[in-house]
Amino acid sequence: DRSFHVRYRMEASCLELALEGERLCKAGDCRAGVSFFEAAVQVGTEDLRTLSAIYSQLGNAYFYLQDYAKALEYHHHDLTLARTIGDLLGEAKASGNLGNTLKVLGNFEEAIVCCQRHLDISRELNDKVGEARALYNLGNVYHSKGKNVANAGTHDPGELPDDVKNALQKAAKYYEENLSIVTELGDRAAQGRAFGNLGNTHYLLGNFRSAVLAHEQRLLIAKEFGDRSAERRAYCNLGNAYIFLGEFETAAEYYRRTLQLARQLKDRAVEAQACYSLGNTYTLLQDYEKAIDYHLKHLVIAQELHDKIGEGRACWSLGNAYTALGNHDQAIHFAERHLEISREVGDRSGELTARLNLSDLQMVLGLSYSTNNSMMAESHAVENSLNGGRPRGRRYSMENMELMKLTPEKVPNWN
Amino acid sequence: QPLAGGQNAELQSKVVPSKQILHSDNMEMEPETMETKSVTDYFSKLHMGSLVYSCTSKRK
């Protein structure tokens, strides 16, 4: 009859639209894929499993497009639907996806609940693959949680408050549990991912030797797969760990490989980051000519990419390196540029650093304080506003000049 | 300028960058994995019957 025919046509067209959405997303065109999925939702279907699959893919597509609010909405619809129809595997998947999305949005506690649900159901269904994936996701949530809290403070890796340490230790435990399952399953790609993030967790915990061991494993697997992006990530992470082991030559070697791969992969942003890391490493090696060479390369790319923050950092680093070489004209040029950019981007602490660098340089060059009174007064005002009105450490009047400490407090910890 | 020599030495000593500031923020994480569903997981059985299902199976 007629109504059956209409309903049949609608089901078919919903399905066709969804299939086209799937095809487009698989081909990497998530933007177009989303349009087809949304059209499929508009047409509608009476089959709730099909609708669940559409919601799930819409959630993932929005996740890849970095529209996390929309991703959250659709993964939530999918979870509700899966529960309604009693699809336990579907519920596990929806919970995992919701957990990943909540993690990116910084809602760690709810993310943990969702990822734990993914894990519990997978165990109930004796689904080893699902269990391993849930463990990896849980590791990622605890890693992000730890890193997020750690970023709020200013400490080197290894010097961490207890809550940060707890979260990171949990992350390490989940990655290790994941590793034992995926090793059993012989899933090398999953092992690669777990080793990479386990290495980064050890790095934040200050276990730099363990970090190196994990990243070496990650590197091995990346080479096995010919995955050059993963290989580049491993080199960069190895470089970072060797910096903290005080082995700067080895770090420089890994950063050089990072740079080489970044150029091959034509990733300018990563190339800039590698140049910056190399500049810093050569500074630690006290080879300031090479440091300047790499910082200049970083500066050029930062300008090309309109990365003002990167440009400011490059100028600061260049100012320091030229100061070390005794080239005060260039040092002042870059310190002034650093000041300008800090003002432009509203970086108050960068602005203060630049002012202090400039005043130090002007003092070295023998410029009298009286000619720079206005700048000093301004610096003082900036510093007071940053320190809640209390001046600390530095004094600006002529009679107290001997109290000026130009060396930062943390120098003894650096080597 | 009598101060200059001493100040110069001190200026040089502050060139050493803080490793924390410079390196910890460019950690390279591995990609996330999302769980996937597909309409073809269900529709073969529910909508098109076993004939289409067997055809798609053969094509693989």
Side-chain angles (χ1 to χ4, degrees):
Chain A
D1 71 26
R2 195 178 154 73
S3 88
F4 173 80
H5 182 72
V6 169
R7 275 166 53 203
Y8 179 83
R9 285 306 303 265
M10 283 177 78
E11 287 298 330
S13 98
C14 172
L15 212 53
E16 275 176 52
L17 289 164
L19 284 171
E20 183 59 8
E22 283 189 21
R23 192 191 64 78
L24 287 162
C25 285
K26 274 189 193 135
D29 189 353
C30 285
R31 184 67 63 194
V34 159
S35 311
F36 277 90
F37 282 128
E38 282 179 340
V41 171
Q42 284 296 312
V43 173
T45 171
E46 286 175 22
D47 181 52
L48 297 182
R49 284 179 179 258
T50 297
L51 190 58
S52 155
I54 294 172
Y55 282 150
S56 176
Q57 290 180 89
L58 264 170
N60 285 347
Y62 276 120
F63 187 93
Y64 291 119
L65 292 168
Q66 299 181 318
D67 185 342
Y68 299 114
K70 277 266 170 66
L72 190 75
E73 187 187 322
Y74 284 113
H75 285 311
H76 199 261
H77 287 330
D78 181 28
L79 180 63
T80 310
L81 214 50
R83 280 185 180 154
T84 307
I85 57 180
D87 172 10
L88 209 53
L89 178 62
E91 182 183 343
K93 288 182 172 187
S95 301
N97 291 338
L98 197 56
N100 282 347
T101 311
L102 286 162
K103 176 202 70 179
V104 176
L105 289 166
N107 188 344
F108 301 116
E109 297 319 310
E110 279 188 56
I112 288 165
V113 172
C114 289
C115 292
Q116 185 65 48
R117 182 76 186 134
H118 183 194
L119 180 64
D120 292 344
I121 298 174
S122 300
R123 283 180 173 159
E124 199 180 316
L125 297 174
N126 204 19
D127 169 9
K128 282 280 166 193
V129 174
E131 183 181 350
R133 292 167 74 92
L135 288 165
Y136 177 71
N137 291 345
L138 269 168
N140 285 343
V141 176
Y142 277 106
H143 179 101
S144 290
K145 185 185 170 188
K147 195 156 59 182
N148 192 58
V149 182
N151 282 346
T154 49
H155 26 249
D156 283 345
E159 303 166 2
L160 302 167
D162 281 345
D163 52 341
V164 175
K165 204 180 261 180
N166 285 339
L168 292 172
Q169 278 167 346
K170 273 193 181 150
K173 188 192 77 151
Y174 283 119
Y175 289 135
E176 271 157 11
E177 275 187 64
N178 163 279
L179 266 172
S180 78
I181 297 177
V182 294
T183 305
E184 209 175 296
L185 295 171
D187 184 345
R188 290 291 279 167
Q191 283 176 58
R193 287 192 293 270
F195 275 125
N197 286 351
L198 178 63
N200 285 337
T201 308
H202 280 309
Y203 171 83
L204 287 177
L205 281 165
N207 308 329
F208 301 116
R209 289 279 166 215
S210 306
V212 165
L213 288 176
H215 288 308
E216 279 173 350
Q217 289 302 309
R218 206 294 158 252
L219 179 60
L220 209 67
I221 296 168
K223 284 180 173 170
E224 252 173 58
F225 280 83
D227 180 346
R228 290 195 300 168
S229 296
E231 191 181 341
R232 183 194 57 68
R233 288 199 295 271
Y235 288 142
C236 173
N237 290 328
L238 281 163
N240 293 344
Y242 276 108
I243 289 285
F244 279 91
L245 287 168
E247 295 175 37
F248 305 137
E249 291 283 6
T250 313
E253 179 55 32
Y254 280 119
Y255 287 138
R256 274 196 296 273
R257 291 189 196 182
T258 311
L259 178 59
Q260 198 182 6
L261 273 176
R263 284 177 177 159
Q264 281 176 24
L265 295 166
K266 303 200 187 313
D267 187 333
R268 291 291 270 173
V270 173
E271 189 181 341
Q273 181 62 54
C275 289
Y276 183 61
S277 297
L278 275 165
N280 292 328
T281 309
Y282 281 112
T283 301
L284 291 164
L285 286 163
Q286 296 182 304
D287 184 342
Y288 301 113
E289 274 94 359
K290 274 197 182 136
I292 287 169
D293 185 37
Y294 282 112
H295 281 308
L296 283 172
K297 288 188 170 95
H298 170 226
L299 178 63
V300 168
I301 305 175
Q303 283 169 341
E304 181 190 305
L305 299 177
H306 306 289
D307 169 13
K308 278 282 165 195
I309 292 172
E311 200 183 331
R313 282 187 185 182
C315 291
W316 179 19
S317 306
L318 282 163
N320 285 341
Y322 278 117
T323 301
L325 287 177
N327 185 340
H328 295 122
D329 289 342
Q330 285 289 12
I332 284 186
H333 167 76
F334 284 109
E336 279 172 348
R337 189 75 194 108
H338 180 214
L339 179 59
E340 259 173 57
I341 294 169
S342 302
R343 274 181 182 156
E344 245 178 272
V345 300
D347 173 4
R348 298 281 281 168
S349 79
E351 199 180 328
L352 175 67
T353 305
R355 282 182 195 286
L356 297 182
N357 284 343
L358 274 170
S359 70
D360 290 347
L361 282 161
Q362 278 164 333
M363 198 164 62
V364 171
L365 291 178
L367 299 178
S368 81
Y369 263 57
S370 57
T371 59
N372 292 293
N373 267 347
S374 65
M375 196 192 77
M376 284 317 207
E378 238 185 297
S379 304
H380 206 167
V382 172
E383 183 167 35
N384 281 350
S385 72
L386 281 171
N387 294 309
R390 279 175 294 109
R392 49 140 208 214
R394 291 179 68 96
R395 301 290 190 90
Y396 298 97
S397 62
M398 283 298 281
E399 54 274 32
N400 287 316
M401 260 184 70
E402 73 281 3
L403 294 174
M404 290 178 81
K405 285 277 169 275
L406 293 177
T407 315
E409 304 117 53
K410 291 195 81 177
V411 162
N413 299 332
W414 283 346
N415 292 311
Chain B
Q1 179 68 8
L3 262 175
Q7 295 291 358
N8 208 6
E10 277 196 276
L11 273 176
Q12 282 193 20
S13 71
K14 67 186 278 193
V15 168
V16 181
S18 160
K19 287 177 288 195
Q20 191 262 327
I21 292 167
L22 300 176
H23 293 276
S24 63
D25 62 350
N26 73 326
M27 188 190 300
E28 296 268 2
M29 293 298 286
E30 298 294 329
E32 279 131 340
T33 52
M34 301 299 278
E35 302 304 311
T36 53
K37 296 182 182 180
S38 163
V39 293
T40 56
D41 293 346
Y42 310 114
F43 92 88
S44 49
K45 279 170 275 177
L46 293 167
H47 298 268
M48 300 294 174
S50 56
L51 184 67
V52 177
Y53 181 68
S54 66
C55 285
T56 50
S57 307
K58 270 179 207 157
R59 247 187 294 159
K60 285 176 194 167

